[in-house]
Amino acid sequence: MTTGTWPLVPSLIALVAMAVVIVFAGVRLTRAADELADRTGLGDAVGGALLLGAVTSLPGNVTVLTGALEGDAGFALANPIGGIALQTVWLAVADLVYRRANLEHAAASLENVMQSVILMAMLSLPVIAYSTPQLTLGWIHPVTLLIPILYAYGLVLLRRMHDHPMWVPTHTSATADEDEDEEGSDRSTRRLWATLAGLGLLVGVAGWIVGQAGLGVAAGTGLEGGIIGFTLTTAVSSLPELVVLVTAVRMGQLTLGVGNIVGGNVFDMLMIAVADIGYLEGPLYRAAGSTSLVLLGGTMLLIAVLTAGLVMRDRKGIGFEGLLIPVIYVATVALAVISR
């Protein structure tokens, strides 16, 4: 149980204030990362994963570490899992913004499909760790070490796929061609990197405040830390992904926007490893409680539906994935509350 948490009302005020800060930084992050993806030759999908995915995940990442160091295992584990789930829901929101076609159809990218598959593989690791609490390496679980290894290998696969694709998505009249009519700014590459770093620092500080405020809300309301982490603090800390996604879609950078969500989700998995290291009372996974299995299972189902949508590419409308994803998310939260 955490000690020295903030009172309920200041915590709620802090969450609202940090939401404003995070939204402010989100739009500027998109434009800087879009130009850097072009100048570095990473491409929109990989650039979205590495640049936007990493920076926009910072608020949630700092929130996770805050919860782990404060000794709330459920809160620490639920935040990255909840971030993955809610950020997937943001894609359904973006489908409403992009009215010309189904977003997953227009943003044709094998890299995004591969990232979704990698994410499902990584989500299975906490389940294995939960089921084997007797395995320890110091105070952490050995599975924790596999998370960054799988992430690194996934990046190698993504780069290889980008350089030498063996499959090519079928282009239609609704497929976005993001190389057309793009004009970069006159800012230097060094200034773009500085902008990205400065905004990253800003949202990182915001993430620490969100973490402290979330623990305060959990203590003040008596709700389980895992449920607060999966819903409330995740909703605030994942706002950069929503802002970046909607901005990218409105700019016509569809693959960058979807890559930001999927890449950010994969990057969030690294914070589960950081959370286990930061939780000094032993392996994090079993300590998070059985509710964490409900949250993990629901999130894996969300990613499976998203991956199916990326492969099927319904041409018109929101598509089956846009309808199912919000329903699965709400059902997962409801089941987690009932399972207490």
Side-chain angles (χ1 to χ4, degrees):
M1 191 69 181
T2 58
T3 58
T5 53
W6 296 357
L8 178 59
V9 173
S11 295
L12 292 173
I13 294 174
L15 286 174
V16 174
M18 290 307 99
V20 174
V21 171
I22 289 169
V23 169
F24 170 81
V27 177
R28 289 156 181 81
L29 277 170
T30 311
R31 301 189 183 278
D34 180 32
E35 287 195 47
L36 284 171
D38 291 336
R39 296 189 188 186
T40 58
L42 289 172
D44 284 338
V46 178
L50 291 178
L51 300 177
L52 278 177
V55 178
T56 57
S57 294
L58 278 174
N61 297 341
V62 177
T63 300
V64 169
L65 187 57
T66 300
L69 292 174
E70 291 290 336
D72 194 325
F75 182 84
L77 181 59
N79 266 279
I81 300 302
I84 293 169
L86 191 58
Q87 286 152 202
T88 305
V89 174
W90 293 154
L91 289 173
V93 175
D95 254 334
L96 300 176
V97 176
Y98 190 74
R99 296 176 179 269
R100 284 181 283 176
N102 176 265
L103 182 62
E104 284 73 26
H105 175 96
S109 167
L110 286 177
E111 288 96 334
N112 285 336
V113 175
M114 175 61 81
Q115 287 188 96
S116 297
V117 174
I118 294 169
L119 179 57
M120 283 191 287
M122 295 179 74
L123 281 168
S124 70
L125 296 179
V127 178
I128 296 172
Y130 181 94
S131 303
T132 55
Q134 71 279 6
L135 299 179
T136 59
L137 188 62
W139 70 91
I140 67 173
H141 196 287
V143 162
T144 294
L145 303 179
L146 295 179
I147 294 176
I149 293 174
L150 184 54
Y151 177 80
Y153 183 63
L155 292 181
V156 172
L157 292 178
L158 285 171
R159 187 66 190 186
R160 186 188 305 172
M161 177 177 288
H162 178 73
D163 293 338
H164 305 287
M166 298 300 293
W167 296 89
V168 179
T170 300
H171 280 239
T172 69
S173 59
T175 303
D177 187 351
E178 300 184 4
D179 292 328
E180 293 183 354
D181 300 322
E182 284 192 49
E183 293 185 2
S185 70
D186 56 358
R187 290 184 293 178
S188 67
T189 301
R190 179 179 298 179
R191 185 177 177 184
L192 286 171
W193 281 115
T195 299
L196 199 71
L199 291 171
L201 178 61
L202 177 62
V203 297
V205 172
W208 178 82
I209 296 175
V210 169
Q212 293 290 347
L215 293 170
V217 171
T221 60
L223 290 174
E224 186 177 333
I227 295 174
I228 293 295
F230 192 81
T231 55
L232 183 60
T233 56
T234 291
V236 176
S237 61
S238 67
L239 278 175
E241 281 83 359
L242 175 61
V243 174
V244 166
L245 175 62
V246 173
T247 303
V249 169
R250 293 176 67 89
M251 289 168 57
Q253 302 301 309
L254 306 183
T255 304
L256 180 75
V258 176
N260 163 57
I261 293 295
V262 181
N265 285 347
V266 177
F267 189 85
D268 280 345
M269 288 299 302
L270 291 177
M271 288 313 298
I272 294 180
V274 173
D276 191 27
I277 294 172
Y279 185 73
L280 303 179
E281 300 176 23
L284 173 83
Y285 308 99
R286 179 58 70 91
S290 59
T291 301
S292 63
L293 288 181
V294 177
L295 303 180
L296 279 165
T299 303
M300 292 177 74
L301 183 57
L302 284 170
I303 301 304
V305 171
L306 171 62
T307 306
L310 290 169
V311 173
M312 290 297 297
R313 297 181 64 209
D314 284 344
R315 181 172 296 197
K316 295 182 179 180
I318 296 178
F320 71 90
E321 73 281 1
L323 297 175
L324 284 177
I325 285 172
V327 173
I328 294 171
Y329 177 81
V330 172
T332 299
V333 175
L335 188 59
V337 173
I338 295 172
S339 68
R340 293 180 60 205

